[in-house]
């Protein structure tokens, strides 16, 4: 039986797209659902293009009820994947899917992580700090932003004169290459 993935995203969903592409013809796994806290998120259109069901929710549903947990259980989700999802995951979801919720962060954690550190903010901070390398981190999710156990990191050199756009582009290339493969390898470990 195929392993089932649920993707949470808040925005455009370029990582979600790469994951959907990766598993479209897979015998071992499928993206069963895309969820968003933003009814206008482009990721919902991307999911629709792959004929993958979507679910939009609000803060009340996510933090005050078990609606999302029950939905994921009903759909027999094996792995929850955060792909540009900006809210802290609530305790009921963490407890229902122990070590089965992962996230990707656009920096080499533990540097440049935490509340409010996402997207361009991360790349600006890396430039301002004068770092000579940058990269991505894929990690398990816990009750704190960007503090879960690290699963995989990939890095690239930051050259003098590199701009925010260059860092963002290089980081996204790593994200799109590594995230689907890490997900596939994780799913192979689950019975």
């Amino acid at each position: 039986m195929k392993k089932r993935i649920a993707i949470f995203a808040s925005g455009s969903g370029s990582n979600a797209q790469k994951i959907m592409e990766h598993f479209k013809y897979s015998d071992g796994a499928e993206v069963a659902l895309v969820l968003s806290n933003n009814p206008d998120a482009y990721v919902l259109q991307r999911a629709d293009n792959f004929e993958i069901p979507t679910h939009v929710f609000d803060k009340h549903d996510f933090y005050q009820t078990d609606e999302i947990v029950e939905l994921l259980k009903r759909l027999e989700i094996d792995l929850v994947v955060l792909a540009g999802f900006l809210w802290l995951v609530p305790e009921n979801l963490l407890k229902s899917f122990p070590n089965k919720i992962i996230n990707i962060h656009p920096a080499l954690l533990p540097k440049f992580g935490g509340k409010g550190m996402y997207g361009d903010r991360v790349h600006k901070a890396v430039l301002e700090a004068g770092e000579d390398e940058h990269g991505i981190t894929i990690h398990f999710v816990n009750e704190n932003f960007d503090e879960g156990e690290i699963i995989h990191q990939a890095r690239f050199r930051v050259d003098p004169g590199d701009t925010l756009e260059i860092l963002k582009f290089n980081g996204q290339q790593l994200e799109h290459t590594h995230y689907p493969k890490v997900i596939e390898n994780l799913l192979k470990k689950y019975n």
Side-chain angles (χ1 to χ4, degrees), residues 1 3-4 71-78 97:
M1 200 164 130
K3 299 290 185 202
R4 295 169 64 80
L71 174 62
L72 297 176
K73 286 186 169 181
R74 201 165 51 248
L75 292 175
E76 299 178 349
I77 296 301
D78 295 289
F97 292 88

Side-chain angles (χ1 to χ4, degrees), residues 64-184:
Q64 307 299 322
T65 75
D66 285 329
E67 178 190 313
I68 302 300
V69 170
E70 288 166 5
L71 174 62
L72 297 176
K73 286 186 169 181
R74 201 165 51 248
L75 292 175
E76 299 178 349
I77 296 301
D78 295 289
L79 184 67
V80 175
V81 173
L82 309 186
F85 182 68
L86 302 180
W87 289 358
L88 193 64
V89 174
E91 191 176 337
N92 64 339
L93 192 51
L94 291 170
K95 283 188 170 164
S96 298
F97 292 88
N99 290 322
K100 293 193 175 170
I101 305 175
I102 65 171
N103 184 42
I104 192 161
H105 184 75
L108 296 167
L109 293 174
K111 289 182 175 184
F112 308 106
K115 185 171 174 57
M117 288 302 284
Y118 59 87
D120 288 353
R121 294 176 182 191
V122 173
H123 306 306
K124 281 179 187 161
V126 168
L127 286 173
E128 286 167 8
E131 297 286 311
D132 60 1
E133 70 172 5
H134 190 27
I136 62 162
T137 303
I138 299 165
H139 63 93
F140 286 109
V141 173
N142 67 13
E143 62 281 353
N144 300 310
F145 282 111
D146 305 324
E147 291 182 16
E149 179 190 341
I150 292 172
I151 302 165
H152 181 80
Q153 288 186 314
R155 54 193 76 225
F156 62 88
R157 235 181 98 65
V158 178
D159 292 318
D162 278 358
T163 62
L164 186 140
E165 287 71 28
I166 290 171
L167 296 193
K168 188 173 173 176
F169 177 81
N170 289 340
Q172 278 190 325
Q173 296 305 305
L174 289 180
E175 290 177 6
H176 295 166
T177 299
H178 291 271
Y179 209 13
K181 291 176 188 169
V182 169
I183 291 165
E184 187 172 334

